[in-house]
Each structure stands twice: as C-alpha cells, then as structure tokens.
Amino acid sequence: ANISLRFIMVYGFSDSMIAEAVAEITAMLEASTLVTLPLHRFALEAAADAHDAVEGNAVGKVVIDIP
C-alpha cells in the first residue's frame, strides 16, 4: 500500500506497545517494505532555496545546515 504517515500520538501507549511498534517498524525498514523519505539538504546561505522547496511541496525532509 502507498501511504503517508505524518505523525502519531504515543503518549497513551504502554512501554510494551511502543517496543512492539519499534520492532515492527524496524523489521519493515530492514526488509525495504517501508522506506524513508528523501532528504533535501541546504547550506545556510541557501535558506531561500529551502523555503522554496517547502512551499513547492517537496517530498521528504528539508534541512538547513547551520555551521
């Protein structure tokens, strides 16, 4: 299935529920069933380009490196 998981609230999860979820997600990542989103990295001097990427609905994470 092609899904996007934005976030999940885990405050009410027990320790065992969190451990089970971590184990399942780890197994999916190792099996390449679940893949991470691409990373778009920009230098601080290119912050405007990073902003444009976000406004342009870049898929994945947009990161600005601060020295």
Side-chain angles (χ1 to χ4, degrees), residues 11-22:
Y11 301 112
F13 286 15
S14 67
D15 288 345
S16 63
M17 291 170 71
I18 292 172
E20 181 181 348
V22 167

Side-chain angles (χ1 to χ4, degrees):
N2 187 11
I3 64 167
S4 293
L5 179 62
R6 302 286 183 189
F7 68 92
I8 186 166
M9 302 297 273
V10 297
Y11 301 112
F13 286 15
S14 67
D15 288 345
S16 63
M17 291 170 71
I18 292 172
E20 181 181 348
V22 167
E24 289 178 13
I25 291 169
T26 300
M28 287 189 283
L29 287 168
E30 289 172 347
S32 297
T33 303
L34 182 65
V35 294
T36 58
L37 293 175
L39 176 66
H40 307 280
R41 177 168 256 139
F42 297 87
L44 182 57
E45 298 78 21
D49 294 332
H51 180 75
D52 290 342
V54 171
E55 285 202 337
N57 297 318
V59 174
K61 301 289 183 184
V62 176
V63 175
I64 298 175
D65 289 323
I66 299 175

